[in-house]
Amino acid sequence: MKQRISNIQKIYKEGVRLLADAGIEEADIDAWYLLEHVLDITRAAYYAHPDLELNTEQEEAYFSLIRKRTQRIPLQHITGEQEFMGYPFYVNGHVLIPRQDTELLVEEALKVLSHGIRILDMCTGSGCILISLLKAGREKRHIEGLYGTGMDISQEALHVAECNARRLLGGGGPEEGAGSVRFCRGDLFENAEGRYDLIVSNPPYIRTQDIEKLQREVRCHDPFIALDGREDGLHYYRRITAESTAHITEGGYLLFETGHDQAEDVCALLEQAGYRGIFVKKDLAGLDRVVGGSYNRTYTGQ
């Protein structure tokens, strides 16, 4: 019979050791999050009671999750949650895990929000970008009457986004809460209705040949369709930029997240399509991360 460890401090240290032996880079952090997930314990409580004993079920549950993480299953797929813009988003293997880099896209989009505008989130995935815009716009910027549409080709991804909208936006009428957002399946603008004042997108932008170079957690567990930007990584930037002109209002904004070496090409695409005031924003690492501009229909003659 396997001997129990029971002591919470020893259990945590064993979790760290197992993850480190499996090559997990942030073994101590992941081991802690899994312990927190199983026990719903704070760090303060952990340090105050390091000799606290777990029961058999708790110990087995913890090491079961540790074993999953040693197999390179992403931490967020194990816990089913990832924080983004300070909000807890539900995630699974049908959507990209929201990443901190993408928060810059939301922060830039928040700067152009105004009362009553219509927002389109192209390739919405978990819905983290759109839902964060609606929630932060309403609660932190006190902007009223926002309405958002999330588009994605994956029905499974849309189910995740709808779940997050219910969790984070709650109920409410047509001008607030979950009623302020809808999700629609389609190949980019295929089923888009009317024109939008703000279009945001974090499209697939990894070059196909580069996907095999990504971390195992990403290449094996993130949906391939959400990663693959085709041969040069610019396929969806071309399509979204070109097709957006039929769905954006005069002076409306189009904002993209980009790969670190794609900003110049995306800027050129926006300019060719009639966007002006084009800008590039760098992330905390100093890498180009967000490209955007406002549409001038007069300039393009449309």
Side-chain angles (χ1 to χ4, degrees), residues 244-259:
S244 69
T245 60
H247 300 278
I248 195 165
T249 58
E250 176 71 15
Y253 286 87
L254 173 60
L255 276 67
F256 284 117
E257 176 176 334
T258 67

Side-chain angles (χ1 to χ4, degrees), residues 103-112 255 279 281 290:
E103 292 186 355
L104 182 60
L105 176 61
V106 176
E107 290 165 1
E108 290 302 313
L110 282 170
K111 295 177 182 179
V112 303
L255 276 67
F279 63 88
K281 294 292 182 179
V290 172

Side-chain angles (χ1 to χ4, degrees), residues 74-127:
L75 176 71
Q76 297 86 347
H77 289 179
I78 297 171
T79 64
E81 190 170 285
Q82 171 64 25
E83 183 177 291
F84 182 81
M85 293 296 294
Y87 306 127
F89 282 86
Y90 165 64
V91 295
N92 62 23
H94 295 299
V95 298
L96 288 181
I97 296 168
R99 289 170 171 80
Q100 185 178 13
D101 289 340
T102 306
E103 292 186 355
L104 182 60
L105 176 61
V106 176
E107 290 165 1
E108 290 302 313
L110 282 170
K111 295 177 182 179
V112 303
L113 289 191
S114 59
H115 297 299
I117 72 169
R118 301 182 75 227
I119 306 166
L120 175 62
D121 179 18
M122 187 59 68
C123 309
T124 193
S126 67

Side-chain angles (χ1 to χ4, degrees), residues 62 68 130 221 227 238:
Y62 179 63
K68 289 183 178 180
L130 180 59
H221 296 282
L227 297 171
R238 291 192 188 93

